[in-house]
Amino acid sequence: MHAIIHTDASSPSSLEWQTTEAPCITNGEALVELHYAGLNRADTLQAQGHYPPPQGCTDILGLEASGVVKEANGATKPDGSPWNNGDEVAVLLSGGGYAQYAAVPHGQLMPIPEGYSLAQAASIVEVACTVWSNIMMTARVNEGDLVLFHGGGGGIGIFGIQLAKALGARVAVTAGSAEKLATCKKYGADILINYKEQDFAKIIAAEGGADVILDIIGAKYLDANISSLAKDGHMVIIGMQGGVKGELNIGKLLSKRGTISATGLRYRDVDDKARIVKATIENVWPLLADGTITHHIDRIVPITDAAAAHEALLNGEVTGKVVFDIPRPHAE
Amino acid sequence: MHAIIHTDASSPSSLEWQTTEAPCITNGEALVELHYAGLNRADTLQAQGHYPPPQGCTDILGLEASGVVKEANGATKPDGSPWNNGDEVAVLLSGGGYAQYAAVPHGQLMPIPEGYSLAQAASIVEVACTVWSNIMMTARVNEGDLVLFHGGGGGIGIFGIQLAKALGARVAVTAGSAEKLATCKKYGADILINYKEQDFAKIIAAEGGADVILDIIGAKYLDANISSLAKDGHMVIIGMQGGVKGELNIGKLLSKRGTISATGLRYRDVDDKARIVKATIENVWPLLADGTITHHIDRIVPITDAAAAHEALLNGEVTGKVVFDIPRPHAE
């Protein structure tokens, strides 16, 4: 098969469409012919050498994709019915999405959301599983809660705003420009904070505190996030764009009876991923099908242009998802 | 009524049995004549000026007691049946236990565990509600989990060991002497660590990591506790004997997908306390009744000797609970 090969470890842009061995499936895996793959910031980190794949996983980039089942190998859907060869699927991956074929653990096969194209489906998997698992399975958003998303204008933020609103929460966001905040407002955010001009902790505290915070900043926001927590609030850190180590004021955390979790999707084991995928299909897919949550693709580009797409993402030139179109093996 | 009055804010030992006004009950409170009160380390902190009572709460010390309902005022048990005047009860308090009467929110009245004396019951409330709420309602101990208790030889530790073993967990403890570790072993601890001589994080990591940690140390153990966590582990901080502020390595926490909570019982609202009391009665009281968890009283002393008892506790002269015997009002 063909896949994007990272040919030079020292150069993040050395992403070339080359011939490589197709994956072999083992017990519990299905073989999927991939037609589209989603581009994630994590892919750019991996290309920079900062986000190694889990042990035993392929080095090929790509955490989400869509395509057609080639060998179901006994896979069943969450409802118990079988996956069949030829079924269209979206897939959650630990790696390997930038390729014509992937070996996918049975629990990470997902139906295409009703009304979604394969390109749309390929690019919603990672964000949907990430946001659902964090704000509902790790923290637990309740109706009437205040939920704070940092980076409101990014993919996680835009999806999170819509999901939290659908769950009956009030939503606050931080972002770095009036334009991004306007986007957040369009998707339903109630409280808009420009972190360059305003003190988010003060504003959130004045609103009674955030019951749930989804954070991508890490150390730099640690103390301000704790100041922002409501009583019994829960902050979940999923990114460390603002540093890895920070001072924790345990006394302040205790005064809120607060909780801090730091999580990720990629290194979970297959059972854990299956649990998250199942919950996401049950709870999020209907919200995609009925349009409660909308999904914006910025552009679909040939996967042979992966290097340029990474660069565009890193240069801030992308406002929705970038999707890679993967050439079909039989068309080559 | 009589109560222990802290007569000189600058002197922790100025605890005198004096006349003061009896409490007035409001809607949702019962009046209880107290016969015994438990001594907690938190009481000594409050006498030192470090642990102020919640707003609206009496200044009188005492977080747990037992006695007889004088005015049920419509209180019902968790099972819906009424509390009657004359019923014996144990009570969870925000303060006011060192007195002849207390106004107790309905949700904080508890039956006397089967086979327990009033003195035993008075001194099990705080530890039972604290340990149950933290290891089961905040963290969630599962069968086969490894649970680590710091200060294994203290009241929380001894109770925690027994409860965690009853839940099917493996239990590790840290303590500062061979004698204390022997006590921990007697109560069922599987892994005994002398923190003065051994590196607990190394030992716990070699055991696969702790799924749940109940910590009373705070800052000093923050990093070592994170090193000790198993994947998806949860540490709950309920004390800060080792300092309030410490460096948090978010990257290390994320590599474990770890969670840190910092909690306390005293400042929770009445609904939250009622929820904890109800769960404790349902889940812990049967384990007291059938002897699965045993409870050791070090001494029962007249409450007029409160100052001396505080001193004995602070001097490390106490190995189980100290219970105060409260003179009955009609006997004076």
Side-chain angles (χ1 to χ4, degrees):
Chain A
M1 71 167 183
H2 277 79
I4 290 290
I5 304 298
H6 189 197
T7 53
D8 176 359
S10 68
S11 165
S13 61
S14 62
L15 302 175
E16 296 179 18
W17 187 245
Q18 295 188 348
T19 304
T20 187
E21 265 182 59
C24 296
I25 58 172
T26 61
N27 264 349
E29 289 180 335
L31 185 70
V32 178
E33 180 186 297
L34 304 180
H35 294 184
Y36 296 94
L39 166 59
N40 286 284
R41 196 163 290 272
D43 303 340
T44 67
L45 287 175
Q46 183 171 340
Q48 289 161 0
H50 297 321
Y51 193 49
Q55 225 180 354
C57 173
T58 173
D59 283 335
I60 297 170
L61 302 177
L63 302 174
E64 57 181 352
S66 65
V68 172
V69 175
K70 280 290 158 188
E71 293 184 36
N73 193 21
T76 55
K77 301 177 188 174
D79 69 7
S81 65
W83 282 109
N84 296 309
N85 297 348
D87 281 349
E88 292 186 334
V89 287
V91 295
L92 175 70
L93 301 167
S94 303
Y98 291 19
Q100 288 180 313
Y101 293 99
V104 185
H106 289 168
Q108 290 158 236
L109 299 169
M110 308 174 87
I112 306 299
E114 204 185 309
Y116 265 50
S117 68
L118 281 185
Q120 287 177 306
S123 53
I124 196 82
V125 169
E126 182 73 17
V127 69
C129 290
T130 295
V131 176
W132 181 264
S133 64
N134 282 299
I135 77 169
M136 285 307 286
M137 298 171 80
T138 297
R140 283 165 200 275
V141 170
N142 290 303
E143 213 178 314
D145 276 359
L146 178 58
V147 182
L148 169 62
F149 295 98
H150 292 299
I156 298 273
I158 296 295
F159 186 94
I161 293 166
Q162 298 179 85
L163 178 59
K165 291 301 293 181
L167 295 167
R170 278 197 307 152
V171 173
V173 294
T174 64
S177 74
E179 195 192 340
K180 284 183 180 167
L181 289 171
T183 303
C184 295
K185 191 176 177 189
K186 196 181 85 184
Y187 285 104
D190 302 291
I191 300 164
L192 310 170
I193 304 168
N194 186 326
Y195 66 79
K196 290 181 178 164
E197 298 167 359
Q198 297 172 288
D199 178 343
F200 76 82
K202 255 192 201 159
I203 294 170
I204 298 297
E207 295 283 343
D211 301 287
V212 172
I213 300 175
L214 190 60
D215 178 63
I216 54 172
I217 304 297
K220 191 176 159 196
Y221 278 8
L222 180 60
D223 194 63
N225 275 333
I226 296 172
S227 298
S228 305
L229 280 182
K231 285 271 158 69
D232 300 299
H234 194 150
M235 60 181 276
V236 186
I237 304 174
I238 60 170
M240 297 179 291
Q241 297 176 21
V244 170
K245 293 182 183 180
E247 187 181 78
L248 175 63
N249 184 332
I250 300 169
K252 194 195 280 188
L253 187 65
L254 203 150
S255 75
K256 307 290 184 86
R257 294 191 299 272
T259 293
I260 303 170
S261 297
T263 79
L265 196 49
R266 191 177 196 186
Y267 301 104
R268 292 178 185 270
D269 64 28
V270 291
D271 289 345
D272 216 9
K273 283 182 182 162
R275 197 172 56 92
I276 289 169
V277 163
K278 184 171 186 288
T280 303
I281 295 169
E282 284 172 3
N283 295 286
V284 179
W285 263 214
L287 301 174
L288 302 179
D290 72 9
T292 301
I293 296 177
T294 59
H295 176 52
H296 177 57
I297 291 179
D298 181 88
R299 61 189 93 170
I300 303 177
V301 300
I303 197 160
T304 47
D305 293 343
H310 275 219
E311 207 163 318
L313 183 65
L314 289 169
N315 290 339
E317 295 161 15
V318 174
T319 58
K321 285 288 282 195
V322 172
V323 182
F324 294 124
D325 184 12
I326 303 173
R328 309 297 177 271
H330 44 80
E332 291 183 311
Chain B
M1 70 166 183
H2 277 80
I4 290 290
I5 304 298
H6 189 197
T7 53
D8 176 0
S10 68
S11 166
S13 61
S14 62
L15 302 175
E16 296 178 18
W17 188 244
Q18 295 188 346
T19 306
T20 186
E21 267 181 57
C24 297
I25 57 171
T26 61
N27 265 349
E29 290 180 334
L31 186 70
V32 178
E33 181 187 297
L34 304 179
H35 294 184
Y36 296 94
L39 166 59
N40 287 284
R41 196 162 291 271
D43 303 341
T44 66
L45 286 175
Q46 182 172 341
Q48 289 162 1
H50 297 318
Y51 193 49
Q55 224 181 354
C57 173
T58 173
D59 283 336
I60 296 170
L61 302 177
L63 301 174
E64 58 181 351
S66 65
V68 172
V69 175
K70 279 292 158 187
E71 293 183 37
N73 193 21
T76 54
K77 301 177 188 175
D79 68 7
S81 65
W83 283 108
N84 297 310
N85 297 346
D87 281 348
E88 291 185 335
V89 286
V91 294
L92 176 69
L93 300 167
S94 304
Y98 290 19
Q100 289 179 314
Y101 292 100
V104 185
H106 289 167
Q108 290 158 236
L109 299 169
M110 308 174 88
I112 306 299
E114 205 185 307
Y116 265 50
S117 69
L118 280 186
Q120 287 176 306
S123 53
I124 195 81
V125 170
E126 182 73 18
V127 71
C129 290
T130 295
V131 177
W132 182 264
S133 64
N134 282 300
I135 78 170
M136 285 306 287
M137 299 171 78
T138 296
R140 282 164 200 276
V141 171
N142 289 302
E143 212 176 316
D145 276 359
L146 178 58
V147 182
L148 169 62
F149 294 99
H150 291 299
I156 297 273
I158 296 295
F159 186 94
I161 292 166
Q162 298 178 86
L163 178 58
K165 290 301 291 180
L167 295 166
R170 279 195 308 152
V171 174
V173 294
T174 64
S177 74
E179 195 192 341
K180 284 183 181 168
L181 289 171
T183 304
C184 294
K185 191 177 178 187
K186 197 180 84 184
Y187 285 104
D190 303 290
I191 300 164
L192 310 169
I193 303 168
N194 186 326
Y195 67 79
K196 289 180 179 163
E197 298 166 359
Q198 297 171 288
D199 178 341
F200 74 83
K202 255 191 200 158
I203 296 170
I204 297 297
E207 295 283 344
D211 302 287
V212 172
I213 300 175
L214 190 60
D215 178 63
I216 55 172
I217 303 298
K220 191 177 160 195
Y221 278 7
L222 180 60
D223 193 63
N225 274 332
I226 295 172
S227 298
S228 305
L229 279 182
K231 284 273 159 67
D232 300 300
H234 194 151
M235 61 182 277
V236 186
I237 304 173
I238 60 170
M240 297 178 292
Q241 296 176 23
V244 170
K245 293 181 183 179
E247 188 182 76
L248 175 63
N249 185 332
I250 299 169
K252 194 195 280 186
L253 187 65
L254 204 150
S255 75
K256 307 291 185 86
R257 293 191 300 270
T259 293
I260 304 169
S261 297
T263 79
L265 196 49
R266 191 178 196 186
Y267 301 104
R268 291 178 186 270
D269 64 28
V270 290
D271 289 344
D272 216 11
K273 283 183 181 161
R275 196 171 59 91
I276 290 169
V277 163
K278 183 171 186 290
T280 303
I281 294 168
E282 284 172 4
N283 295 286
V284 179
W285 262 215
L287 301 174
L288 302 178
D290 71 11
T292 303
I293 297 176
T294 59
H295 176 54
H296 177 58
I297 291 179
D298 182 87
R299 61 190 91 171
I300 302 176
V301 300
I303 196 160
T304 47
D305 292 343
H310 275 220
E311 207 162 319
L313 183 66
L314 289 170
N315 291 341
E317 295 161 15
V318 174
T319 58
K321 285 288 285 195
V322 173
V323 182
F324 294 124
D325 184 12
I326 303 172
R328 312 295 178 268
H330 44 82
E332 291 182 313

